[in-house]
Amino acid sequence: MLDLLAEFTSAAATSAFQVMAGRQLAACRADALALNGERCVTSSIRYSGHYSGALHLHAPLALAREISASMVPPNIAAEIPEELVADTIGEFTNMVVAKLQSRLNDRGVPCEITPPSVAWNDHFTPTAPTGPRSRLLPFQCGDDQIVIELSLD
């Protein structure tokens, strides 16, 4: 089931970033991670139902700020506060998980989701999760990466 959740998540992330921010995401190998010690914003949402787990979206601060700036009027884009950056990444995470929820519901698998929680990580370096109940989904976004961690309880 985790492979199907990862497939749905990848499609949802690609769609959300393209439609809402005009950004192309390209899946890359988990051994090609480039978020090496950068300051990142992490947004997390739990899902529950027949399958329960969590999705964490990690974005480097510079990219998260660019995405936020692309969604506000130009006169305030240069001075985006970190609270707005956090809200933006939380909303993108919500869009990804809501799409995952919709796909599961379409298959007769009910799913509830929590609101996103957001945290800042200094010197963040994701590591590939171990075990059969988790996946690391890195995406290239221009010169940066976004990393999604997907897990089942």
Side-chain angles (χ1 to χ4, degrees):
M1 183 60 183
L2 188 59
D3 289 335
L4 185 61
L5 291 175
E7 178 185 322
F8 288 168
T9 300
S10 291
T14 301
S15 174
F17 280 86
Q18 172 60 46
V19 170
M20 297 304 296
R23 300 290 179 131
Q24 296 289 329
L25 294 187
C28 53
R29 297 184 331 265
D31 63 353
L33 290 174
L35 290 177
N36 295 318
E38 295 180 58
R39 184 154 192 242
C40 286
V41 57
T42 297
S43 176
S44 303
I45 294 181
R46 293 207 44 86
Y47 56 91
S48 61
H50 187 75
Y51 299 102
S52 296
L55 183 145
H56 311 283
L57 188 148
H58 310 282
L61 175 58
L63 177 61
R65 192 175 296 282
E66 285 176 25
I67 290 169
S68 296
S70 74
M71 303 180 77
V72 298
N75 62 324
I76 63 169
E79 298 178 21
I80 301 284
E82 286 192 351
E83 298 82 33
L84 182 57
V85 173
D87 287 347
T88 301
I89 296 304
E91 268 312 304
F92 273 91
T93 307
N94 197 43
M95 286 185 275
V96 171
V97 176
K99 182 74 168 178
L100 172 63
Q101 177 187 35
S102 177
R103 298 286 301 270
L104 289 172
N105 287 337
D106 289 348
R107 291 178 175 260
V109 181
C111 177
E112 300 285 326
I113 62 175
T114 65
S117 62
V118 180
W120 293 96
N121 298 292
D122 290 324
H123 310 294
F124 179 74
T125 302
T127 56
T130 58
R133 302 191 61 80
S134 60
R135 294 286 184 279
L136 196 63
L137 307 171
F139 298 91
Q140 198 66 38
C141 183
D143 293 333
D144 294 301
Q145 274 189 350
I146 290 173
V147 177
I148 294 177
E149 291 181 75
L150 182 63
S151 65
L152 286 172
D153 292 339

